[in-house]
Amino acid sequence: MATLPGNNAKLIRLNPEWSVEKAASTPLEQELSIDDFKGKRLIITLPGAGGFCNKEFDLVKDNQDKFKAAGVDEVIVVVGTDILSNAGRGLPNLFQDVSQEFGNANKLTLEGVKSRYLQRSVIAVDASGEQVGREDAELLGCRTVDALLDVAKKAFS
């Protein structure tokens, strides 16, 4: 396969430790790209905040050990721009695609819609930055943890 499109797009990483109570002392965000992470990466895209099956956030957070067992070094969740109300959600690698550069490069967006992805994807990237697997899902369809893990297992085993 080819290098992951948009791999160097700057994304906004939301601090998993941030909360309203800690707002004065805890930074909310930092700017990174997918390329700033090394090893085997599983990128899980979600449409954004607001109810499009937000339970997937918890599936990722609660099953980190299963992703590691499937050969994933880093699980990276990328959403459109309207996630601030969920700030970090306790996920170590939750990113906003503020410029939509990553989403556009990976055909996740619909022209004219600035705040949400209109496509759900799970993308596996190997240690050299090559895209080695991808599955797309319906916008309103909720994925199970097994469906997310299957992409990693196929790509990294």
Side-chain angles (χ1 to χ4, degrees), residues 45-57 79 82-83 86 89 113 115-120 138-143:
T45 69
L46 296 172
F52 286 120
C53 202
N54 282 345
K55 74 177 187 177
E56 285 187 38
F57 287 112
V79 300
D82 62 342
I83 191 79
N86 293 314
R89 296 188 63 104
V113 178
S115 64
R116 292 180 189 260
Y117 286 165
L118 294 178
Q119 177 73 45
R120 292 174 180 267
E138 304 229 352
L139 171 65
L140 298 178
C142 295
R143 297 173 289 191

Side-chain angles (χ1 to χ4, degrees), residues 15-24 26 87:
N15 189 336
E17 304 301 319
W18 188 90
S19 68
V20 172
E21 297 79 26
K22 298 179 190 174
T26 305

